[in-house]
Amino acid sequence: MSEPIDTTLHAQPPLPQFKVEITPPDLTPWLEGNTAVPGFTSFVAAEPGPHVALVALTHGNELAGAIVLDRLLRAGLRPARGRLTFGFANLAAFARFDANHPTASRFLDEDMNRLWDAAILDGPRRSSELDRARQMRGLIDTVEVLLDLHSMLWPSDPLILSGQTAKGRALAQAIGQPPLVVADAGHVSGPRMIDYGRFSVPDAPAVANLVEAGQHWHPDAVAMALASVAGLLRHLGMVGGHAALPPSPVAQSGVPTQSGAPTRRRLAEVTMTVTAATAGFAFVQEFRGGDVPTEIRTPHDDCLLVMPSLRPSRGHTAVRLARFVTP
């Protein structure tokens, strides 16, 4: 460790052109759904079990999770026990996705994943995303295990965000893919779906995780989102060896997966969240999520950079700093 991080204001360059390497799914068959919430489809098994929800498109331009849910629905995946819900959240923003301007349809009015607090949901304010969250709320209140599927704009190792509870960490480690679990408190700009209600209460049984499957619009993010869904459903005994799900990898330190690539489970706790105080916030170099800097001053040794946003807006999270802990 040598010099402190440079906090001098720099003019932000424009966003680079991002290549869209995957095709948005045709969600027409699922728009109506079979619940009281459009875009949400549930199936109930004869054998009792938990209500598990797989949610995609919390951000309208994050296609990987939507591709996975569409694929599983078309393949006829059904739960062996309990209730399984497939949900497409921000359909209005998704409908405006344009591969020539892929960053423009994250949301219409505001970030849907900063609204999940009773005071906000019960308040008088209106927006497209807030109206949709209120529409979803009654169903989400019945969910016992929720997996929210996301991807990332900037290059980063895929990871699972577990929230701060022990139950969230345990679920993320049991899912196994991605192998990096990050325990964090979320964002100052508002609570996420995984922070909502019973999910964030330590002694309540309901639990939620958020998967950041990889970089937006890249096929690897689709594969990782599918692996995460498969890991969750197998862990809960919700499915058998359905053909639409990938083989279960071995996920122990130093042991290769079925693809031959080694995997190592890691758990990191966020120790500090850096929020952009001005529109001129900039990193001194283009860090990658998963980097562990060694030549700058950090709050502690082996400091993991979690999802650095290289062009953060004022008031939004620029990066989270985390330390590795023993699971």
Side-chain angles (χ1 to χ4, degrees):
M1 300 182 185
S2 54
E3 296 301 320
I5 296 175
D6 182 4
T7 57
T8 305
L9 296 185
H10 303 270
Q12 282 194 343
L15 286 174
Q17 291 288 338
F18 293 98
K19 185 177 180 181
V20 177
E21 301 180 53
I22 55 180
T23 303
D26 177 10
L27 300 183
T28 304
W30 326 120
L31 295 181
E32 183 177 354
N34 66 358
T35 67
V37 184
F40 280 71
T41 300
S42 284
F43 302 101
V44 180
E47 183 179 340
H51 180 190
V52 177
L54 309 172
V55 179
L57 296 179
T58 300
H59 296 128
N61 63 346
E62 297 182 12
L63 306 181
I67 291 172
V68 167
L69 297 196
D70 173 65
R71 183 181 300 174
L72 296 179
L73 283 164
R74 292 180 187 274
L77 182 71
R78 299 292 185 270
R81 68 188 191 100
R83 177 182 177 186
L84 180 60
T85 295
F86 300 80
F88 302 98
N90 200 337
L91 290 169
F94 171 71
R96 297 192 183 183
F97 181 80
D98 179 354
N100 294 315
H101 305 282
T103 61
S105 55
R106 179 175 170 87
F107 52 79
L108 299 186
D109 297 327
E110 61 179 324
D111 192 330
M112 183 183 283
N113 215 29
R114 303 293 183 270
L115 304 175
W116 291 91
D117 177 79
I120 298 173
L121 294 169
D122 292 334
R125 189 163 60 80
R126 297 287 303 276
S127 73
S128 174
E129 279 73 24
L130 191 46
D131 289 348
R132 176 61 169 164
R134 288 167 176 152
Q135 187 180 47
M136 294 165 48
R137 183 184 186 182
L139 189 150
I140 299 300
D141 281 338
T142 70
V143 171
E144 293 159 275
V145 182
L146 182 139
L147 191 65
D148 193 12
L149 299 170
H150 290 250
S151 54
M152 299 175 275
L153 179 62
W154 300 102
S156 177
D157 294 344
L159 53 90
I160 305 180
L161 295 173
S162 69
Q164 292 185 297
T165 64
K167 64 182 179 180
R169 296 186 190 195
L171 177 65
Q173 292 173 280
I175 290 171
Q177 296 292 328
L180 173 60
V181 176
V182 175
D184 75 318
H187 306 273
V188 297
S189 51
R192 305 160 298 188
M193 197 182 306
I194 68 167
D195 305 318
Y196 172 62
R198 300 167 301 142
F199 300 139
S200 64
V201 177
D203 56 355
V207 60
N209 282 175
L210 186 158
V211 172
E212 295 284 3
Q215 196 167 10
H216 295 337
W217 318 308
H218 194 281
D220 286 351
V222 178
M224 181 55 75
L226 181 58
S228 298
V229 168
L232 173 69
L233 297 181
R234 289 193 176 109
H235 166 62
L236 296 174
M238 297 289 289
V239 295
H242 196 282
L245 297 176
S248 178
V250 177
Q252 296 178 346
S253 178
V255 179
T257 65
Q258 292 187 5
S259 66
T263 183
R264 180 167 62 96
R265 289 184 179 175
R266 297 181 299 166
L267 172 64
E269 293 178 337
V270 169
T271 57
M272 179 185 298
T273 297
V274 179
T275 301
T278 74
F281 181 99
F283 289 91
V284 296
Q285 68 185 70
E286 294 201 350
F287 292 106
R288 183 184 187 280
D291 284 350
V292 180
T294 58
E295 296 183 358
I296 62 174
R297 183 170 298 164
T298 55
H300 46 78
D301 291 339
D302 297 325
C303 184
L304 177 72
L305 301 185
V306 179
M307 296 174 59
S309 176
L310 301 184
R311 309 286 190 277
S313 301
R314 182 173 179 264
H316 289 74
T317 301
V319 66
R320 282 162 278 190
L321 309 180
R323 63 159 53 96
F324 292 107
V325 296
T326 302

